[in-house]
Amino acid sequence: MLKYRHLIGSEDFTIRELEEIFKLADEIIEDQDSFLDSCHGKILGTLFYEPSTRTRLSFESAMLRLGGNVIGFSEAASSSVKKGESIPDTVRTVGSYVDIIAMRHPKEGAPRLASFYSPVPIINAGDGGHQHPTQTLTDLLTIRNIKGQFSNLTIGLCGDLKFGRTVHSLIKALSKYENNSFVLISPQELKIPDYIKSDVLDKNNIKYIEVERLEDVMSSLDILYMTRVQKERFFNEADYIRLKDSYILDSKKMDLARKDLTVLHPLPRVNEISYEVDTDPRACYFKQVKFGMYVRMALMLKLLGVR
């Protein structure tokens, strides 16, 4: 069903298709050894036009654990992009060498443009402040394994909701499921974009509130999704400095939360989660990292049509 498809936005796959990926990820978690040669002879191309640690290494380790290989670049300056090569020409070229491409780009819409020209499946590994669908798959697999459900949840999203592509993707994905509500926690300057509210939340009659104080809503949350204030998305450094410490999750705030709260974070963190929270059993962001590798393994197997 997913063979040779592109993944550009979190809305590209149906609930049924997502469930295919998650079931396969669960199989991989249960018996990783049986998948060691699944991608023997396959090559992943990683086109990362901006820096990444977790996402790039997660893709690379996923393909290597499946028995495949990886080629690509980790910054645009180390490729022919520096000479002025266009995205269409780059993906046409790299697509001649590889079987699947993971692409990160600072400009919104770049992976979608690439998908029009690529001879192989394109996976959006993050485009500007727009979307990050494989992080959303990571988040969903984590929620599925910890909460056991995708419905009837109150999800708090805290920090940079304006530029946070992981937030935008997660809202779109969880909006497909029944009876979820969102608590949007941010300063006025970093509020969720209007198009997310109008095109996703309002359009689907999904409950949400916007607040500025994390303390006021901690006790109501099933999931708290923390995000960093992203320096690279600001044109004015003074604005970044003023807003970067808007929200810091510490043990005092955790004392206000439910015993079964799940705290997630797409990482990297700066100082928005105190290290003292790491030992709290409700802190699940490093489990999230591991789930990210498994779900990317499952995704690539599905898009390549191999088992």
Side-chain angles (χ1 to χ4, degrees), residues 145-282:
N145 278 267
I146 294 174
K147 291 296 189 185
Q149 63 190 52
F150 291 132
S151 302
N152 304 307
L153 297 170
T154 299
I155 305 105
L157 300 140
C158 180
D160 182 358
L161 308 190
K162 180 178 181 179
F163 300 109
R165 57 193 171 197
T166 60
V167 169
H168 305 164
S169 291
L170 186 59
I171 289 175
K172 289 182 177 182
L174 285 175
S175 294
K176 296 178 180 179
Y177 298 92
E178 293 182 354
N179 200 34
N180 287 329
S181 61
F182 296 93
V183 180
L184 308 174
I185 310 151
S186 71
Q188 287 292 321
E189 295 91 339
L190 297 176
K191 288 176 64 174
I192 201 81
D194 288 339
Y195 83 89
I196 296 289
K197 289 188 283 187
S198 60
D199 296 351
V200 181
L201 298 173
D202 294 335
K203 183 178 181 180
N204 295 291
N205 296 314
I206 295 168
K207 296 178 182 177
Y208 69 93
I209 60 171
E210 295 181 273
V211 301
E212 293 191 33
R213 280 174 47 86
L214 177 57
E215 297 90 330
D216 294 344
V217 295
M218 282 292 290
S219 63
S220 68
L221 304 178
D222 297 302
I223 296 167
L224 174 59
Y225 195 89
M226 294 294 295
T227 66
R228 69 185 173 94
V229 176
Q230 303 174 83
K231 184 177 182 179
E232 63 269 29
R233 306 295 175 210
F234 281 82
F235 295 107
N236 186 329
E237 187 174 0
D239 287 341
Y240 166 73
I241 292 171
R242 178 168 53 86
L243 295 170
K244 69 182 179 72
D245 295 328
S246 296
Y247 300 99
I248 298 176
L249 182 65
D250 56 22
S251 58
K252 289 184 178 179
K253 292 186 180 71
M254 290 295 290
D255 288 342
L256 303 173
R258 295 176 181 176
K259 297 298 182 185
D260 63 348
L261 175 70
T262 297
V263 180
L264 302 179
H265 192 305
L267 302 177
R269 68 172 161 187
V270 182
N271 62 348
E272 62 277 2
I273 299 180
S274 297
Y275 284 95
E276 64 191 24
V277 176
D278 293 354
T279 56
D280 192 303
R282 295 169 291 181

Side-chain angles (χ1 to χ4, degrees), residues 31-45:
D31 185 11
Q32 188 176 322
D33 287 349
S34 67
F35 293 87
L36 290 177
D37 295 316
S38 297
C39 284
H40 178 73
K42 301 293 185 182
I43 301 175
L44 165 69

Side-chain angles (χ1 to χ4, degrees), residues 18 21 27 38 49 56 63 65 75 78 90 99 154 156 161 164 175 177 187 197 204 210 280:
L18 291 173
I21 295 169
E27 290 179 33
S38 297
Y49 290 76
R56 182 172 60 83
M63 179 54 87
R65 286 177 182 270
E75 57 179 353
S78 63
T90 297
D99 301 283
T154 299
L161 308 190
S175 294
Y177 298 92
K197 289 188 283 187
N204 295 291
E210 295 181 273
D280 192 303

Side-chain angles (χ1 to χ4, degrees), residues 91-117:
V91 297
R92 282 171 170 151
T93 301
V94 176
S96 300
Y97 307 143
V98 305
D99 301 283
I100 191 167
I101 291 172
M103 178 181 182
R104 170 169 286 191
H105 202 284
K107 291 185 178 179
E108 298 177 6
R112 186 169 299 281
L113 173 64
S115 71
F116 298 147
Y117 297 92

